[in-house]
Each structure stands twice: as structure tokens, then as C-alpha cells.
Amino acid sequence: MKIRRFFGKDMREALSQVKAELGSDAVIMSNRKVADGIELVAAYDKEPEAKLFTPKAAPQAAAKTPGQKAVPSLSEIIGDDGPDSLKALLEKQHGGKAQTTNTLQPDQPMSANAKHANEIASHLDFSEAFIDDIETQSPVEDSKNQHAFPEHQASSMGETPVSQSAELAQIKEELASLRDVLQYQVADLMEAKNKRQKPVHQYLVTRLTDMGLSSALATQLISYTPAHYNERDAWVYLLNLLANRINVTGNDILSSQGAVALVGPTGTGKTTTVAKLAARYAQKYGAESVAMITIDTYRIAAYEQLATYGKIIGCTVRKAQTSEELADLLFQLRHKRLVLIDTAGFSQRDSRLIKQIKQFDNGQMPKVKKYLVAQANTQYPALQRIIQAYDDIELSGCIFTKLDECYSLGEVLSAAVEYQLPVSYVTDGQKVPEDIKIAEAKSLVSAAAKLYKKYGLNHTSGNNAIKTA
């Protein structure tokens, strides 16, 4: 049994090709719609003796022996004016199969073609529902089911060798690689064009990115810069524009009442910042007006460290291990003007961070303001992941710590602008309560520019020679 495919603009043309190529003994196995017309899959037992088939030869090919009624051939099904409808074609073929089965006598030998036709037809469903479904089948479904043949047929076709699939995958990889290279070359050409047309703007974009700002923010800022500005005026304009984009909250924690929780990764200085805020609040309103609570049960001596600060300040310090205990302590300390909550530090990839965040979703928990504490010298991609880790909770602001350890401030400023995160306070040392300041946009931008001028410019850099062993 061999299988071949034929294509035609309609059913009549495709059937005529089958009849002309394979002769009258061919059996139609399946059909489907394609972009240019109809695709037929026909089976035949052996190579036809005559490749060119004329309508006059049809009676000879369909000749029957006396007393024997053979399986209807393709010529009988189609005829010179064969039906264009697949439903009519399948009904004729099915009718011929049933008639042959009923009239064929046991002592009459069945031809090889009839045996193959009956074998194939036994696997096909010629019910009305199946025929109607075939004619109304969409091209998308046909393309999905074009290989849905019985196993004995699919194994004989073998149209998709494994080697072809591997070669196709390799070609796709090479095309993807070429696309990346072309995109890089086009981007390089566009950058060179912009440098020729607006050399001052491109120079300032480079300075902004060297200062630590993201490329997207630097490009956005430079688009607002007037074209007639010289390099110095444009740089001052950009710094002022960046300062206007930074949202600061002012002295919101120390001038308000309620409960405030400081959250953030490990090692950002949350405990020290809580102590600084409590000391400042005690100086303004008295030690009895402020209290501190720690829910850090993971770090050794976390409560003892906060309790030591509490003794120095003279304020109340408590510890909570569960959300229920935290809610109960907040209720007990409701008479305090300000309650500062020190949380445990977790990495943004730590699953325990989600558990800690859910502690503030307790139905009995009063409203707690959350402030993110982040190191000012954190890498920009890490800052992005940290802020995204706290998407599920509403952040009232952020506190940038360890400004005294920074060599660049552009990264935190860029993250604050792009994620619309208000900046409340900055810290620049370990002294309690001296080393904490209210965040000011112009001061932050000025500090970033000074750090860039001192450490970022090429002429201020030290010896960049690579040390080798």
C-alpha cells in the first residue's frame, strides 16, 4: 500500500488528478482544505500501468468479471462529471463497500484492490455526523488534524523525519542569532546618527547613565531638554528636571500618629532606623508618647538590641511572634502617639517574606503604614526586584540608608522615579539619632552629581590598570 497527495483548486480538479495519475483503483483516504484549494490523500496498491488516463479508458479499467460485483472504483465514484462534494463522494464509496459485502459470494475470490479498499474503509467513519463535520471543518482544524491517521497509516507515511526536525530547529536558531546581530547593528547605526545630529544630547545621556540613571529615564529626561542649550546649561536643566521628578513626603512619620512598620531586605539598617525615629519622636513629644515593637524572631538578639535602644530613649519595647500577638500589642499600645514596628529582614527571593507581609493583612489588625528601607548603594536590578517583591502591600514611602557608603546615587533615584516611590528619609551613619535627615529632592540630586563628579568622571578616576598575578 502506498500513499500520495494531490492538490487542486477545487474537489473536481483534485479528483481528476487522482484519476489521471493513479487510475481507477485508487482509494480516497482523506481530504483537507489548504490555502490554495483542496488536498487529497489517495492510496493505491501498486504503480499504475498507464500514467496518462483518458476518459475512454475508464470502462476498461472498471471492467467486472461475469457474476462478480467488484468494489466501486474511483472512476465509478467520480465519473466524467464526478461530484464536487466530499459528502457525496464518501457516501458513494460507503454504499459501494456495503453493496460488495452483501453480494459477494464466499466461493468468489476477492481482488487485491477490493481487500485493501475494505481494510481501509473499515477504519473510516462514514456516518452522517462525520461527513457533515468534514465538510464544515475549518482550515485551522484541518491543519491541526492533518496527521491524525490510524497508526498503521501514519507509520507508513513517515513525512517528518527526526533529522528534518533537527535541521529546522538549527535553522531557527541561526535566524534568531542573525536577527539579534541585525538589531544590534541597526541600534548602533541609529546611535551614530543621533550623535551626529545632536552631539550635546548624546553626550549628556552618557553622563546621566554614568551617574547611575537607567537608560530609559535618561532618554526621557533628555527629550525635554531644549536643543539650543549648550552643554553646561543643559546639564543644569537636566538636574533640576530630575529633582522635580522625585517625590518626597517630608517629615511625615515624625509629624503623624499611628503605627508605622519598616520593611526591607537584610542588612539595610531597619533596627537602627527605628531607634533613630523613636529618639527623634521622643525629643519632640516625650518618651512616653512612642513605643517600639519587633517581630524579628529570626535574628539572634534582635529584641535585645531594640530593648537597649529603648532603655536609652526611655520608651516601651515589646516583642510579637505572630500576627495575633502583634494585633494584641497594637491594641494595648493604642494610647501611644506613635508605634514603630521593626520587621525581620528577608531576601526578595525568600518565601518567608510573603508570610511576613501577610501578617499585616490580619482582619483584627489596625491600619499600619509600611515604609521600605533600602540601601542607597544597592544595584539597580536588585532595587527593581526588591520594590516588585512588595507589590502586594501599599508602601507609604521609602527610606534610603547608608548614603555615607555610596559612590553613586543615580540607581536609587532612578528606581524612586520609575516606580513612583516617595522618599521620606535618608540616613548617613550609625549615630542615634543624629544620622537621619528628611529627604529633599534637590539635596539628593546634588549629592548624586557630586559623587559622579568625584568618582564617576574619567579624569577623576584613579589608576585603572588591571592588576595581574
Side-chain angles (χ1 to χ4, degrees):
M1 176 66 66
K2 297 184 179 180
I3 296 174
R4 291 192 59 184
R5 294 180 183 271
F6 296 88
F7 298 89
K9 65 181 180 180
D10 53 23
M11 182 65 71
R12 182 186 299 276
E13 181 179 339
L15 291 174
S16 299
Q17 293 181 18
V18 174
K19 186 164 120 179
E21 292 289 333
L22 305 182
S24 60
D25 292 334
V27 178
I28 304 300
M29 295 182 60
S30 68
N31 79 88
R32 72 184 184 98
K33 296 178 181 179
V34 294
D36 299 331
I38 300 296
E39 177 191 81
L40 291 182
V41 177
Y44 63 100
D45 183 50
K46 60 183 179 178
E47 292 289 342
E49 295 179 359
K51 291 293 181 180
L52 298 177
F53 189 87
T54 61
K56 295 181 179 180
Q60 298 178 0
K64 310 185 195 67
T65 59
Q68 181 180 359
K69 196 166 186 178
V71 177
S73 65
L74 184 63
S75 177
E76 292 175 337
I77 295 175
I78 303 173
D80 293 334
D81 53 350
D84 290 336
S85 171
L86 173 64
K87 179 177 179 180
L89 177 62
L90 293 178
E91 284 177 347
K92 283 188 178 183
Q93 187 172 357
H94 178 52
K97 171 180 173 290
Q99 185 177 4
T100 303
T101 305
N102 295 331
T103 59
L104 193 62
Q105 300 300 326
D107 56 345
Q108 292 176 341
M110 183 181 292
S111 65
N113 292 332
K115 290 181 181 180
H116 285 297
N118 287 334
E119 179 184 356
I120 294 173
S122 64
H123 294 282
L124 301 177
D125 181 11
F126 295 102
S127 63
E128 292 292 332
F130 170 75
I131 296 173
D132 294 338
D133 181 66
I134 287 294
E135 288 195 330
T136 59
Q137 192 174 25
S138 63
V140 177
E141 293 175 348
D142 290 334
S143 61
K144 291 181 179 179
N145 300 328
Q146 60 180 330
H147 299 296
F149 300 107
E151 293 183 0
H152 70 280
Q153 298 176 14
S155 61
S156 62
M157 294 178 68
E159 295 181 354
T160 311
V162 178
S163 59
Q164 293 182 2
S165 300
E167 293 176 357
L168 183 60
Q170 184 178 1
I171 292 174
K172 289 181 178 180
E173 291 179 0
E174 292 178 356
L175 289 176
S177 178
L178 286 174
R179 181 184 60 185
D180 294 339
V181 173
L182 288 175
Q183 287 178 348
Y184 174 79
Q185 290 180 342
V186 171
D188 187 59
L189 292 175
M190 293 298 296
E191 183 179 357
K193 179 181 177 181
N194 292 333
K195 286 181 179 179
R196 291 193 302 269
Q197 294 179 349
K198 299 180 179 180
V200 175
H201 282 193
Q202 293 303 310
Y203 169 69
L204 293 175
V205 168
T206 304
R207 290 190 66 178
L208 289 175
T209 53
D210 290 344
M211 194 173 73
L213 269 64
S214 65
S215 299
L217 180 59
T219 304
Q220 186 184 74
L221 292 176
I222 207 68
S223 63
Y224 295 103
T225 306
H228 63 276
Y229 276 13
N230 57 30
E231 182 268 336
R232 180 178 176 79
D233 293 340
W235 179 248
V236 175
Y237 179 85
L238 286 172
L239 295 181
N240 289 328
L241 185 61
L242 177 61
N244 292 333
R245 295 289 302 275
I246 299 174
N247 183 16
V248 293
T249 62
N251 195 15
D252 55 340
I253 296 179
L254 299 181
S255 60
S256 62
Q257 302 181 28
V260 174
L262 301 188
V263 299
T266 57
T268 57
K270 293 186 295 297
T271 304
T272 306
T273 304
V274 166
K276 292 177 181 178
L277 292 172
R280 286 289 183 91
Y281 205 84
Q283 289 176 352
K284 186 175 182 180
Y285 298 102
E288 68 281 355
S289 62
V290 63
M292 296 185 291
I293 300 175
T294 179
I295 60 174
D296 187 359
T297 58
Y298 299 94
R299 187 165 56 91
I300 298 175
Y303 171 72
E304 286 74 10
Q305 181 184 2
L306 199 65
T308 302
Y309 284 125
K311 289 179 181 179
I312 297 173
I313 299 170
C315 64
T316 304
V317 181
R318 294 289 185 267
K319 177 174 65 174
Q321 295 185 348
T322 62
S323 59
E324 290 78 11
E325 291 183 8
L326 178 59
D328 185 58
L329 285 175
L330 289 176
F331 179 76
Q332 295 176 15
L333 299 172
R334 64 188 182 278
H335 61 282
K336 301 288 185 180
R337 289 178 58 92
L338 180 65
V339 178
L340 296 168
I341 302 173
D342 180 28
T343 63
F346 293 115
S347 167
Q348 61 271 17
R349 295 191 294 265
D350 198 328
S351 60
R352 292 175 296 179
L353 175 64
I354 307 300
K355 182 179 179 181
Q356 183 191 73
I357 293 175
K358 290 182 178 179
Q359 285 186 331
F360 300 106
D361 296 333
N362 191 340
Q364 301 177 352
M365 188 79 64
K367 182 175 177 59
V368 179
K369 296 180 180 179
K370 276 80 66 177
Y371 287 79
L372 176 64
V373 181
Q375 291 183 193
N377 56 359
T378 307
Q379 296 174 340
Y380 178 73
L383 279 171
Q384 287 182 306
R385 301 300 186 274
I386 291 170
I387 296 174
Q388 292 171 2
Y390 291 92
D391 280 343
D392 294 337
I393 65 175
E394 181 182 356
L395 293 175
S396 301
C398 66
I399 301 174
F400 292 139
T401 61
K402 303 183 180 181
L403 263 70
D404 55 317
E405 301 178 11
C406 288
Y407 291 92
S408 174
L409 271 180
E411 291 81 4
V412 292
L413 298 183
S414 182
V417 171
E418 292 178 352
Y419 288 92
Q420 295 295 305
L421 191 61
V423 185
S424 300
Y425 299 91
V426 294
T427 67
D428 54 359
Q430 296 294 320
K431 294 181 182 179
V432 178
E434 293 85 1
D435 295 335
I436 186 170
K437 298 179 179 62
I438 302 171
E440 296 180 355
K442 289 187 176 180
S443 298
L444 288 172
V445 174
S446 177
K450 289 178 181 178
L451 288 173
Y452 168 66
K453 184 177 181 180
K454 186 175 182 180
Y455 301 106
L457 291 177
N458 293 330
H459 68 272
T460 61
S461 302
N463 185 12
N464 295 325
I466 300 176
K467 296 181 179 180
T468 57

